[in-house]
Amino acid sequence: MQGANDTIVTGGGNLTITGDVVTVANVDSSGGLDETGAAVTDEVGGNVTITANSGALIVGDITTSGGVATAAGQAAGTVTLEGDTVAVGAITAIGGAAAAASDADGGVGGAVTMTANNGTTPTITLNGGIDTSGGAGDGAGAQGAGGNVAFNGDVILAGATAVTTTGGAVDGNITFGGTVDATNAFADTLTLTADTGDIAFNGQVGDTGTELGDVNIVSAGAVTAAADIRAASLAVNAGSFNSGFGVDTSGDDDAAGGAVNIATTGDLAVGAIATSGGADVADAQGHDAGNVTLSGQNINLGAISALGSAATTGTNPDGADGDLLVTANGSVIVGGDINVNAGQIDIFVDADEASADDEASLTINQATLTAATINLDGGLDTQNDSLVVLLTGGDTADWIVDGSNSGSLNAGTSDEALFTNFSGLDGGDQTDTCLLYT
């Protein structure tokens, strides 16, 4: 092994370093090379464990990937880093690919675990991305499982950062145990790809002055957020999204607000969403708000604010308000006021089920809902679906119903409007529309 500031090559062997304060330039424990650099085959990647007992741990790039295989792919080594604080470069722990014509599985990706123990500032600084993907299978062989990635501490992004944990039958999970902040506000992006692996944010994501850039969850199983998310924009494609906290993509000074796009195959729950344009501070013009697009099975959301900012000079235009589009295959609950002013509000509720008493529901827990368009799409169901609309802060006696194929309005109580017997619900491309005003 070389000195503490040199690149360490283990030729597929395991590496353990322990000290009070530890600095290592780079580590390569990948399979496929021996200590002299000569090529070898069918070698797993070595595990890397580095611990700083009482100070900072600083390490460059780490590679633990599986080596070249003659049959099944070789496993990558694990990476375990622990210190008072941790700073690390890119980590590559990809399982090795299966050999050509082997019909074998790829190697397993290596798990990555980082822990910061400082009682006041337990920071983990990411100076590069992380890839724990499983190796490619050959022919009938499957991709290897992806490795889990866990951050036990508060993460700081030093730049654009991507974490990938994709596998075959098993994808790796991504867990942020603390907060996640940017070094460069609204600029340091975060891209997460977990396929069916779960992603958990257990602390706040972004804060005033440390807002993340674009946050893109390319794929995930269940996504949970235990605190607010503040970023330039948010895009999520997942099995489910569950958060009782807010999402704020409002623009920085003299900048437009960012879009929020959350698409789930299952349920979607989120708190208040703000996408408003940034204040006009120096450029004498208003700034547009971002659009909000939500789709899922049952959707529960808080208040929505997507307002363009006003120009400080009367001769310049104000920013445009954002649009809200909500599409649910089940029910929708709106838990607060919707403020988009000139923006368009579209809420689609699909009551397409197998039974004769199909019923979708939209609950609006607010005093006013202006110019909302609600579409009930019956899909291919031949039954007479119905839509129950609850306006807990208003009175349906003041409602005006207008639109094609709007059916009948039955206001049995002061806070319930029941739309029944919509026409055209037996056509897959038919949609019934009502405009609701209070």
Side-chain angles (χ1 to χ4, degrees):
M1 182 171 60
Q2 293 126 325
N5 291 313
D6 297 326
T7 299
I8 299 173
V9 179
T10 71
N14 297 331
L15 173 68
T16 300
I17 298 176
T18 302
D20 291 335
V21 178
V22 178
T23 300
V24 178
N26 299 292
V27 174
D28 187 348
S29 66
S30 56
L33 295 175
D34 63 18
E35 291 82 351
T36 67
V40 295
T41 58
D42 296 321
E43 187 174 61
V44 300
N47 300 328
V48 172
T49 303
I50 306 177
T51 304
N53 289 322
S54 59
L57 167 58
I58 301 173
V59 60
D61 298 341
I62 300 174
T63 303
T64 67
S65 298
V68 175
T70 59
Q74 299 298 303
T78 62
V79 177
T80 305
L81 306 177
E82 183 172 358
D84 207 35
T85 60
V86 176
V88 62
I91 297 177
T92 305
I94 302 173
S102 66
D103 274 339
D105 296 341
V108 175
V112 173
T113 304
M114 303 185 203
T115 302
N117 295 318
N118 187 287
T120 304
T121 56
T123 58
I124 300 170
T125 302
L126 301 181
N127 295 305
I130 300 172
D131 194 340
T132 63
S133 299
D138 177 76
Q143 181 184 7
N148 295 328
V149 175
F151 304 100
N152 302 312
D154 296 333
V155 170
I156 298 175
L157 308 182
T161 303
V163 180
T164 303
T165 62
T166 57
V170 178
D171 299 298
N173 301 324
I174 303 172
T175 303
F176 294 92
T179 60
V180 184
D181 290 291
T183 300
N184 307 290
F186 294 104
D188 296 334
T189 60
L190 179 63
T191 302
L192 306 176
T193 306
D195 280 2
T196 61
D198 296 337
I199 297 176
F201 297 100
N202 293 318
Q204 181 160 322
V205 178
D207 204 343
T208 303
T210 61
E211 299 90 342
L212 271 59
D214 298 327
V215 175
N216 184 10
I217 299 178
V218 177
S219 59
V223 177
T224 56
D228 293 341
I229 297 174
R230 302 188 67 176
S233 69
L234 174 66
V236 177
N237 184 12
S240 64
F241 185 92
N242 186 14
S243 175
F245 295 86
V247 174
D248 189 346
T249 60
S250 299
D252 196 6
D253 291 344
D254 298 318
V260 173
N261 296 287
I262 304 176
T264 64
T265 55
D267 292 345
L268 190 165
V270 64
I273 298 176
T275 66
S276 297
D280 175 10
V281 174
D283 59 2
Q285 59 183 350
H287 299 279
D288 296 346
N291 295 330
V292 178
T293 305
L294 308 174
S295 64
Q297 183 65 34
N298 300 302
I299 298 178
N300 190 330
L301 63 148
I304 305 292
S305 181
L307 302 176
S309 61
T312 56
T313 302
T315 57
N316 290 333
D318 295 336
D321 296 334
D323 296 333
L324 168 63
L325 172 60
V326 179
T327 305
N329 292 321
S331 63
V332 176
I333 298 176
V334 181
D337 290 339
I338 299 177
N339 295 309
V340 299
N341 287 353
Q344 177 67 40
I345 303 173
D346 292 292
I347 301 176
F348 295 80
V349 183
D350 190 342
D352 183 16
E353 301 292 345
S355 64
D357 59 348
D358 295 344
E359 182 175 278
S361 64
L362 169 65
T363 302
I364 304 169
N365 296 310
Q366 62 187 82
T368 60
L369 175 65
T370 303
T373 301
I374 298 177
N375 293 280
L376 177 65
D377 184 352
L380 298 176
D381 193 356
T382 59
Q383 305 295 333
N384 289 323
D385 297 335
S386 62
L387 172 65
V388 177
V389 180
L390 300 176
L391 187 67
T392 61
D395 189 339
T396 57
D398 299 328
W399 287 26
I400 300 173
V401 181
D402 189 17
S404 63
N405 299 329
S406 58
S408 59
L409 169 60
N410 301 318
T413 65
S414 63
D415 63 354
E416 177 177 312
L418 175 62
F419 297 87
T420 61
N421 300 322
F422 284 83
S423 61
L425 287 178
D426 57 350
D429 60 351
Q430 299 296 312
T431 300
D432 294 284
T433 302
C434 296
L435 298 179
L436 306 180
Y437 301 87
T438 61

